[in-house]
Amino acid sequence: MCGIVGYIGYRDAYPIIIKGLHRLEYRGYDSAGVALLDKEMRVYKKAGKVSDLEDFVKGIDTSGTIGMGHTRWATHGAPSDRNSHPHSSGDRKLTIIHNGIIENYNVIKEALLGKGHIFKSDTDTEVLIHLVEDIQNETGLDLQEAVRVALNRVIGAYAIVIMSADDPDMVIAARKGSPMVIGVGKGEYFIASDATPIVEYTKNVIYLNDNEIAYIRRDDLLVKTIDNTVQTPYIQKLELQLEMLEKGGYDHFMLKEIYEQPRSVRDCLRGRVYPQQGKVQLGGIKEYSDKLKNVDRIIIVACGTSWHAGLVGEYLIEEYARVPVEVEYASEFRYRNPIITEKDLVIAISQSGETADTMAAIELAKEKGATIFGVCNVVGASIPRITHAGVYTHAGPEIGVASTKAFTAQVTVLTLIAFYIAQQRGAITRNKLIEYLTELNEIPDLIEQTLKTNESVKAISEKIKDSRNCLFLGRGSSFPVALEGALKLKEISYIHAEGYPAAEMKHGPIALIDEEMPVVFIATKHSSYEKVISNIQEVKARKGQVIAIVTEGDTAVRSMADYVIEIPQTNEAFVPLIATIPLQLLSYHIAVMRGCNVDQPRNLAKSVTVE
Ligand code: M6R
C-alpha cells in the first residue's frame, strides 16, 4: 500500500528518490520520508504529501549517493510525523522503509520492550528494525545475516529496504507478498515498489520474488532466499515508456486515462481478435484450451472496480460460453469455506495485480485444486506470478486512484475470454463470432465518439454537483455499469451514491426519491429498454431528477428525462464498454467542481496490499 524507492550509485540520491515518490504517490499519501547516507545517516520525514516533505527539507543538506524514500498509506499508527517512515533502530544506525504489515509485531514488540527497547512510533515497521538490531546485539551476526534471521521470525507481508550507517556501501531489499523491482544500471541500482521511478534511468529490471533478499552494492548484487540459497536473478526489459507516466497536458491523470480508452481498448484487442476468421486468440491461456472445454463452473474473484468488471464478465460468459459463473468479493470468499473443486476455473481480476484480498483468494482456490487465470494490468506484478495462466489487459499505467481505463480493459479481456471459451466449447457458431468480433473491433472508435459527450456531461455535472446523494440504475450488464458509476462518484467527489438493478428500486431505494435526488439511468435500446422506461417514470412520478444514458436518436426517454446523454448504438454485449465513459466523465467533472483531489481521493490508495 505504501510506495518505496531506493538508490545506490554515483548520482545524487535525493532527486531520484523524490521524483520516484511522486510517481508512487498513488500508493498512499499520508506521509513521506527519506533517509540519506553519506558519512552519516540523515532521516527527514513529514506527515502529508511528498510535496510537504520537499518543503520541509528545503535548505537542508540532501547530499548523498545512497538513500531511500517512502510514501505512506497508514495502517499501524495514525498519519503523523512520528509514524512516518523511515524508522530507525535504537542506536539510530539502522534505518528501514516498509510496505506491508508485520502481523506478529505485537508479540515481538512485547519481547523487545522486555529487553529495554524504546519505540518512538506506533508502527509495526519500527519493531522489525529493532528486531534486526536486537539479533545483531545478541548474536554478533553481520547485518546481512541479522536481516535474514529477522525475516524468518516475522509473519506477514513486506517489501523493505534497510540501510546501515556502519556499511554505507550497501542497501538491503527484501520482499514477501509486497512488490519490489530492482533497476540495474552501470555502477548503480534502483529499488522501487513498481517500475515507474526506475524507467527513466534503466530499462533493465529484476522483479524480486517472495522470500528473496537482495544485498545491493554499487557494482554488485547478490540475491538469496531467506533460507540462504543463492539465486540467479532474471533481468527483464521494461516495456514502459516515460510519456505514459506524465499527465500529457491534461489537468489530471484521471482525465488523461479516461481519454486514453480508445487506445487502451485497441491495445487490448490487438493480436487477439480475428473477425474475418471468426477467431479469438489468447496466447496466455492457450495451454488450458482443453481444460476450458470441460470446466464445470467459473468463479470470478476481485475487489472494487475489478469486481464490477467481473459482474459484466458473468453476463458475457454465461450468455456466450454457457458456463455457470459466480462472482465473489475476494475479501469474503477467502473467509468462507467455499466449495471449490479441481473442475473449477477461478478468474482473478486485478488492475494492480497486488490486491491482498485477491491474492489470498487465489491461494485458497489453488490449495483446493482449481485452475486459476489472472486478468491483470501491471506486468510482472504478484498476481500474474501466482496464477496458472492469464491475460494482460495492456491498458498501460493507471495512476489516477479511481480506476477508469483499467475497467474498460478488464471488460474487454473478459469479453474475449467469454468468446474464447465459447469457441473452445462450440457454444457459438463461426458466423456469429464473425459478427460479434467485427463489432467488437469497432468499439475503440465508438468510445472515441462517446468522449465527445464531454461538454454536455460537464453541463449536467454543474446541475447536480451539490447533491448529497445519487442513485445509479441499470439492468442486465448495465447493472454493474451502474455500480461502477456510483463507486466513481463516491470515491472522488464524496457524494453518497448507490448502484442498483433498476427493478430493485421499488423494493426500497424508491423511498429516497424526491426532487433533491438525481437518478442516473443506463437506458439504452436493448433487452430491458421498456422496463427501464417504466422505472424512469416511477422516478419522475416522485419528482426525482433523471439523467439518462440513451442510445443515439432515442426520443422516448428524452421526452421524460431531465437530461440525456446519447451514446452510439452497439450490440448489447458491448454496452458496458461505452456506457461507462459518460459516467466516468460525470464523476470527474463533479469532483473537480467540488474542489476535490481527483487523482488522490482522501483515505484511498491505488493498490490495497493490506487486508
Ligand atoms: O488493483 P485492483 O484492481 O485489484 O484493485 C481493486 C480495487 O481496490 C480498486 O478497483 C478500487 O476499487 C478503485 N479505487 C476503484 O476506482
Side-chain angles (χ1 to χ4, degrees):
M1 204 68 163
C2 308
I4 62 183
V5 189
Y7 176 76
I8 178 165
Y10 55 85
R11 310 183 206 220
D12 244 357
Y14 178 75
I16 296 170
I17 292 166
I18 285 293
K19 206 173 196 185
L21 290 182
H22 277 296
R23 296 237 167 94
L24 293 178
E25 220 171 0
Y26 73 86
R27 301 180 67 87
Y29 28 84
D30 289 334
S31 67
V34 288
L36 298 160
L37 184 53
D38 226 338
K39 291 182 196 82
E40 51 171 8
M41 183 86 71
R42 281 155 298 142
V43 175
Y44 309 116
K45 50 192 194 171
K46 200 81 199 125
K49 305 221 161 171
V50 177
S51 54
D52 296 311
L53 172 70
E54 281 181 281
D55 290 344
F56 178 64
V57 300
K58 257 184 203 139
I60 297 179
D61 174 21
T62 55
S63 60
T65 53
I66 161 167
M68 62 190 185
H70 186 269
T71 178
R72 178 169 187 246
W73 186 82
T75 56
H76 293 61
S80 64
D81 290 352
R82 69 189 194 91
N83 285 330
S84 308
H85 297 214
H87 291 285
S88 303
S89 53
D91 63 7
R92 320 297 298 159
K93 286 188 176 169
L94 302 177
T95 309
I96 186 172
I97 52 174
H98 168 217
N99 168 31
I101 290 183
I102 306 300
E103 288 168 13
N104 58 340
Y105 84 101
N106 238 337
V107 181
I108 300 171
K109 190 172 182 173
E110 284 303 317
L112 292 173
L113 282 168
K115 291 178 172 182
H117 284 255
I118 296 166
F119 293 94
K120 297 200 158 66
S121 78
D122 310 316
T123 65
D124 49 339
T125 309
E126 192 187 9
V127 174
L128 176 54
I129 200 65
H130 276 249
L131 176 63
V132 175
E133 178 186 25
D134 193 68
I135 292 169
Q136 275 199 289
N137 289 344
E138 295 236 315
T139 61
L141 287 173
D142 64 14
L143 180 62
Q144 286 100 308
E145 266 306 280
V147 169
R148 198 180 67 75
V149 171
L151 293 180
N152 275 292
R153 291 199 196 158
V154 299
I155 299 170
Y158 54 79
I160 53 163
V161 183
I162 291 178
M163 298 189 326
S164 164
D166 284 343
D167 193 348
D169 184 37
M170 184 179 64
V171 178
I172 299 179
R175 76 158 269 178
K176 183 184 177 192
S178 294
M180 167 139 319
V181 190
I182 298 173
V184 183
K186 287 205 176 93
E188 59 182 349
Y189 288 93
F190 305 82
I191 303 151
S193 298
D194 72 27
T196 58
I198 296 174
V199 61
E200 68 189 277
Y201 308 104
T202 176
K203 294 255 173 185
N204 296 327
V205 295
I206 296 163
Y207 289 93
L208 217 57
N209 292 309
D210 273 350
N211 297 314
E212 284 182 350
I213 311 175
Y215 305 103
I216 310 168
R217 297 186 181 275
R218 285 178 174 83
D219 42 24
D220 184 44
L221 168 74
L222 171 68
V223 178
K224 282 184 176 181
T225 63
I226 64 168
D227 301 333
N228 214 14
T229 309
V230 175
Q231 301 292 98
T232 310
Y234 169 59
I235 301 181
Q236 305 188 23
K237 281 267 175 255
L238 273 183
E239 289 190 5
L240 196 65
Q241 307 300 328
L242 200 54
E243 315 80 79
M244 293 174 170
L245 309 174
E246 313 286 351
K247 281 192 199 142
Y250 287 91
D251 287 343
H252 298 96
F253 279 110
M254 181 181 179
L255 190 61
K256 176 187 176 221
E257 286 155 9
I258 292 173
Y259 272 87
E260 275 178 343
Q261 290 173 105
R263 197 263 318 140
S264 53
V265 171
R266 208 168 273 129
D267 285 352
C268 187
L269 295 173
R270 186 168 299 120
R272 293 168 169 173
V273 169
Y274 297 89
Q276 283 159 359
Q277 299 160 40
K279 193 172 154 196
V280 174
Q281 205 165 282
L282 293 173
I285 57 173
K286 204 167 113 207
E287 270 181 56
Y288 288 83
S289 300
D290 285 339
K291 166 91 196 175
L292 292 175
K293 284 181 193 150
N294 301 314
V295 77
D296 272 356
R297 180 176 65 144
I298 294 175
I299 303 168
I300 297 180
V301 291
C303 303
T305 287
S306 300
W307 184 77
H308 297 156
L311 289 177
V312 177
E314 176 181 24
Y315 283 91
L316 296 169
I317 296 170
E318 292 198 339
E319 174 77 24
Y320 300 107
R322 306 301 298 150
V323 182
V325 179
E326 286 165 25
V327 187
E328 301 264 6
Y329 281 117
S331 52
E332 288 297 315
F333 179 77
R334 59 179 297 195
Y335 286 116
R336 289 208 324 266
N337 184 10
I339 299 161
I340 308 168
T341 76
E342 286 166 13
K343 288 186 122 190
D344 289 329
L345 169 70
V346 171
I347 303 179
I349 309 172
S350 174
Q351 187 287 130
S352 61
E354 300 293 344
T355 300
D357 288 320
T358 310
M359 287 180 59
I362 292 171
E363 296 296 358
L364 175 70
K366 240 179 166 180
E367 271 166 33
K368 302 207 177 216
T371 301
I372 325 281
F373 288 178
V375 173
C376 290
N377 192 38
V378 178
V379 176
S382 300
I383 290 178
R385 289 141 161 271
I386 61 172
T387 46
H388 295 113
V391 184
Y392 278 116
T393 51
H394 294 315
E398 190 181 64
I399 294 164
V401 165
S403 200
T404 52
K405 63 174 180 172
F407 174 75
T408 45
Q410 288 165 342
V411 171
T412 306
V413 164
L414 291 163
T415 310
L416 295 177
I417 291 179
F419 288 140
Y420 187 78
I421 301 176
Q423 179 182 280
Q424 303 307 316
R425 296 168 79 97
I428 192 164
T429 64
R430 190 165 160 268
N431 282 349
K432 268 281 166 214
L433 258 181
I434 291 174
E435 203 181 291
Y436 283 122
L437 298 182
T438 306
E439 272 202 64
L440 182 58
N441 248 358
E442 287 164 7
I443 293 296
D445 293 339
L446 298 191
I447 295 179
E448 193 102 54
Q449 226 174 296
T450 309
L451 286 166
K452 296 196 176 120
T453 60
N454 183 45
E455 282 310 312
S456 57
V457 174
K458 194 170 174 183
I460 298 169
S461 308
E462 183 63 49
K463 305 277 182 202
I464 62 168
K465 69 174 195 310
D466 297 320
S467 307
R468 297 189 56 203
N469 300 290
C470 190
L471 271 182
F472 288 76
L473 303 175
R475 297 188 75 147
S477 61
S478 290
F479 161 52
V481 175
L483 288 174
E484 177 59 10
L487 177 63
K488 284 296 85 94
L489 187 65
K490 70 184 131 191
E491 70 182 335
I492 62 167
S493 73
Y494 318 137
I495 293 176
H496 171 243
E498 298 292 341
Y500 271 96
E504 274 296 301
M505 180 184 63
K506 58 185 173 295
H507 297 290
I510 199 163
L512 296 168
I513 291 170
D514 60 17
E515 57 278 7
E516 307 271 286
M517 174 70 98
V519 185
V520 181
F521 278 94
I522 296 107
T524 55
K525 274 198 182 147
H526 294 105
S527 48
S528 307
Y529 179 63
E530 311 295 341
K531 307 270 182 217
V532 174
I533 286 187
S534 306
N535 299 138
I536 291 176
Q537 278 168 335
E538 286 155 16
V539 171
K540 281 317 301 171
R542 285 151 186 91
K543 299 195 170 57
Q545 300 175 59
V546 170
I547 298 131
I549 315 276
V550 299
T551 309
E552 226 167 18
D554 182 289
T555 49
V557 177
R558 187 175 281 275
S559 68
M560 315 167 202
D562 297 81
Y563 311 103
V564 294
I565 302 162
E566 289 195 352
I567 60 170
Q569 159 64 33
T570 186
N571 191 295
E572 185 162 8
F574 311 132
V575 169
L577 289 169
I578 311 286
T580 305
I581 310 295
L583 301 186
Q584 296 170 344
L585 289 168
L586 187 77
S587 60
Y588 171 76
H589 288 302
I590 292 176
V592 171
M593 287 168 189
R594 289 167 69 96
C596 300
N597 187 337
V598 171
D599 284 334
Q600 294 174 346
R602 70 180 178 213
N603 305 337
L604 288 174
K606 186 82 185 153
S607 11
V608 185
T609 55
V610 295
E611 278 187 43

